[in-house]
């Protein structure tokens, strides 16, 4: 029910300005003009609600998961972009010029007040740039912290420009009721930014952590363990993640999402499996014990707690092992009686982490570049491999939990659906999009 309620809440929030505009009414206009206004209203409301979707809401994250949230965020952002781009062209053919005595409501006339139009034009130019930069973030190669700062500032600037344009150039936006609606939604959007960049950092100051150990697992993978400093720690479920800030003040932009690899039942210490990729992670091995850290979370719903399935398949690629290791550790510590099978894919044998702890029973190791003496599976985690391991009954009854490269998860998800696995029994978590 929770995902359904969240979807309903989203639809209500997005369509509220449109409904109020229809209630405010006005003299009838040509259909294409009403469509232009409607698309503009929907685009603006969708942009404002995007702030909430990306604002680290634990309710949304735990209710529908980060995977669905981020995919929905992307889809709605692109839909809003299409609506916004179409909006001005549908006014073509509408008489221009100043207000006519015979048209006091501006039902047939677009304003020529350049200050009101200029903010709309500026937002019209900025919005495609914001979306395209988000899509091409990885290819452009600039630092995550830089992109995050620019994305937040750009989105807020667009929202403010559109607020001015809508209220002063819009037929409906200038109505007092609509003005208050737009102010309330813009305030909600700005509030979500203030929560992430002001409220949460202030709260984190009272709950610091200390790095207790940094251990090298493989040539490019590390385990970082932090312990609570003066508080009880963090209540989380196996499979969830947090935003981790190590060695910086709470207002620093240098924080990144990492899945927890330790189990809740193991105690207050929390461990992370971190791969060297760039920026902060390249210097992970230089972090000293005692360094101050801050955690924001937990987020995500990659959890098998209280699920009814008789078996659990954990499918990991590379550092995607982290949340699944947390789940596996929790299952073992709690004495869970459900059957478990683990698939762990890597490129080379030296990249396999926690091999001694994982063991060999019900664990399938897969290497894409195996050495000559390799006794495990070679290639990739794909449908053919799963068909050799799972029975038809297991495909239909087990829950499948995945984290790893997008190509692996896409291939496995497609095969599971093809084999009849219900979608609610396929859980996945991604941190890379587009």
């Amino acid at each position: 029910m929770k995902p359904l309620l969240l979807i309903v809440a989203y639809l209500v929030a997005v369509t509220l300005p449109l409904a109020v505009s229809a209630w405010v009414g006005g003299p009838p206009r040509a259909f294409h003009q009403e469509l232009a206004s409607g698309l503009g209203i929907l685009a603006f409301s969708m942009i404002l609600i995007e702030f909430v979707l990306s604002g680290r809401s634990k309710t949304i994250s735990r209710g529908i998961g980060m995977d669905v949230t981020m995919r929905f965020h992307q889809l709605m952002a692109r839909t809003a972009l299409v609506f916004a781009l179409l909006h001005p062209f549908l006014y073509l053919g509408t008489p221009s010029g100043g207000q006519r005595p015979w048209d006091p409501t501006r039902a047939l006339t677009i304003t020529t007040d350049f200050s009101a139009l200029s903010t709309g034009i500026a937002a019209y130019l900025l919005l495609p740039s914001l979306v395209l930069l988000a899509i091409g973030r990885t290819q452009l190669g600039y630092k995550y912290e830089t992109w995050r700062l620019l994305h937040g500032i750009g989105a807020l600037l667009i929202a403010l420009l559109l607020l001015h344009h809508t209220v002063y150039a819009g037929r409906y936006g200038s109505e007092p009721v609509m003005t208050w609606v737009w102010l309330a939604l813009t305030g909600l959007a700005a509030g979500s930014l203030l929560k992430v960049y002001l409220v949460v950092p202030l709260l984190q100051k009272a709950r610091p952590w200390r790095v207790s150990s940094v251990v090298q697992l493989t040539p490019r993978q590390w385990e970082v363990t932090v312990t609570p400093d003066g508080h009880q720690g963090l209540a989380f479920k196996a499979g969830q993640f947090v935003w981790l800030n190590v060695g910086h003040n709470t207002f620093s932009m240098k924080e990144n999402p990492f899945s927890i690899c330790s189990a809740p039942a193991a105690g207050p210490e929390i461990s992370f499996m971190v791969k060297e990729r760039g920026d902060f992670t390249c210097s992970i091995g230089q972090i000293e014990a005692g360094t101050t850290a801050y955690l924001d979370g937990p987020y995500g719903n990659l959890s098998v707690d209280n699920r009814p399935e008789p078996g659990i398949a954990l499918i990991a690629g590379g550092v995607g092992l982290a949340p699944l290791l947390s789940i596996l550790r929790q299952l073992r510590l709690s004495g869970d009686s459900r059957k478990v099978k683990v698939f762990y894919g890597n490129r080379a044998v030296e990249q396999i982490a926690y091999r001694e702890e994982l063991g060999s029973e019900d664990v399938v190791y897969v290497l894409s570049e195996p050495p000559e003496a390799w006794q495990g599976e070679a290639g990739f985690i794909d449908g053919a491999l799963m068909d050799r391991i799972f029975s038809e009954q297991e495909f239909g009854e087990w829950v499948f939990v995945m984290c790893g490269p997008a190509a692996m998860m896409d291939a496995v998800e497609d095969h599971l659906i093809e084999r009849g696995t219900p979608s609610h029994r396929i859980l996945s978590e991604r941190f890379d999009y587009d």
Side-chain angles (χ1 to χ4, degrees):
M1 283 299 294
K2 186 177 288 187
L4 179 60
L5 291 174
L6 291 172
I7 292 172
V8 170
Y10 175 85
L11 292 175
V12 169
V14 165
T15 57
L16 176 63
L18 193 63
V20 176
S21 297
W23 173 70
V24 170
R29 296 187 298 176
F31 173 76
H32 70 280
Q33 296 171 4
E34 293 293 352
L35 180 59
S37 292
L39 291 178
I41 290 169
L42 283 175
F44 187 24
S45 60
M46 291 169 71
I47 288 169
L48 293 177
I49 301 302
E50 289 293 284
F51 283 82
V52 180
L53 283 180
S54 59
R56 297 194 199 174
S57 168
K58 292 181 181 178
T59 300
I60 296 175
S61 171
R62 296 171 184 175
I64 59 178
M66 285 304 298
D67 232 26
V68 176
T69 301
M70 292 308 299
R71 289 181 183 182
F72 192 70
H73 172 69
Q74 290 178 320
L75 177 61
M76 291 301 99
R78 294 169 193 183
T79 303
L81 174 61
V82 172
F83 287 175
L85 293 179
L86 290 174
H87 163 68
F89 290 100
L90 292 172
Y91 283 120
L92 292 178
T94 303
S96 60
Q99 184 176 359
R100 271 70 164 180
W102 43 263
D103 185 25
T105 61
R106 292 190 299 169
L108 300 175
T109 309
I110 295 179
T111 180
T112 53
D113 181 357
F114 184 72
S115 65
L117 293 176
S118 63
T119 49
I121 294 170
Y124 188 87
L125 297 175
L126 285 174
L127 183 58
S129 302
L130 187 75
V131 174
L132 291 174
L133 285 174
I135 293 174
R137 176 176 64 86
T138 304
Q139 290 78 5
L140 292 172
Y142 49 82
K143 292 183 178 181
Y144 170 75
E145 294 84 0
T146 303
W147 171 82
R148 182 182 162 201
L149 179 62
L150 292 175
H151 192 73
I153 294 174
L156 182 59
L157 178 59
I158 289 171
L160 295 176
L161 290 170
L162 288 177
L163 176 63
H164 180 271
H165 175 71
T166 302
V167 171
Y168 288 98
R171 179 192 187 193
Y172 299 105
S174 58
E175 296 289 339
V177 174
M178 280 303 302
T179 299
W180 282 109
V181 169
W182 288 124
L183 286 172
L185 288 178
T186 305
L188 179 65
S192 67
L193 285 181
L194 287 175
K195 173 195 168 188
V196 172
Y197 297 111
L198 179 61
V199 177
V200 170
L202 287 173
L203 294 175
Q204 286 179 328
K205 277 186 170 293
R207 295 175 61 83
W209 297 69
R210 298 286 178 185
V211 174
S212 55
S213 66
V214 178
V215 178
Q216 189 167 17
L217 301 170
T218 71
R220 294 185 60 201
Q221 294 181 109
W222 302 77
E223 181 186 77
V224 178
T225 301
V226 297
T227 186
D229 184 6
H231 55 93
Q232 297 298 312
L234 182 71
F236 68 96
K237 292 182 179 180
Q240 291 188 301
F241 72 94
V242 302
W243 288 78
L244 177 64
N245 174 348
V246 179
H248 304 282
N249 67 63
T250 57
F251 294 97
S252 172
M253 298 292 291
K254 295 182 178 180
E255 57 174 356
N256 293 271
F258 289 106
S259 292
I260 300 170
C261 69
S262 53
E269 283 194 335
I270 291 181
S271 296
F272 305 93
M273 182 180 176
V274 181
K275 181 179 180 180
E276 294 179 14
R277 287 180 173 175
D279 302 336
F280 157 71
T281 56
C282 279
S283 60
I284 196 75
Q286 301 171 19
I287 296 175
E288 298 180 356
T291 301
T292 302
Y294 297 99
L295 275 58
D296 176 23
Y299 296 96
N301 69 344
L302 196 72
S303 170
V304 298
D305 291 359
N306 303 315
R307 293 191 65 98
E309 292 86 1
I312 303 168
L314 303 175
I315 305 169
V319 75
L321 175 68
L324 308 191
L325 181 61
S326 176
I327 292 173
L328 181 63
R329 285 170 164 173
Q330 181 68 10
L331 292 172
R332 289 176 174 177
L333 287 173
S334 62
D336 197 293
S337 61
R338 286 174 289 182
K339 295 181 180 179
V340 179
K341 292 180 181 178
V342 179
F343 292 75
Y344 183 20
N346 285 285
R347 181 180 58 82
V349 66
E350 62 268 16
Q351 295 176 334
I352 300 176
Y354 300 104
R355 191 170 184 179
E356 291 186 7
E357 179 182 349
L358 291 171
S360 57
E361 185 177 356
D362 292 323
V363 178
V364 179
Y365 297 97
V366 185
L367 296 181
S368 59
E369 298 178 10
E372 291 184 5
W374 177 247
Q375 298 297 312
E377 295 284 345
F380 300 93
I381 301 176
D382 55 17
L385 172 60
M386 299 186 72
D387 284 342
R388 295 199 301 271
I389 303 296
F390 294 104
S391 67
E392 184 175 349
Q393 183 177 359
E394 289 172 334
F395 274 118
E397 294 181 352
W398 281 36
V399 59
F400 294 81
V401 191
M402 293 174 286
C403 189
M408 179 203 79
M409 291 196 290
D410 289 341
V412 172
E413 284 180 354
D414 291 343
H415 187 73
L416 289 173
I417 292 172
E418 183 181 324
R419 292 304 306 267
T421 304
S423 59
H424 67 273
R425 289 184 179 151
I426 304 174
L427 310 179
S428 61
E429 187 106 279
R430 304 167 193 245
F431 289 106
D432 291 320
Y433 298 87
D434 288 312

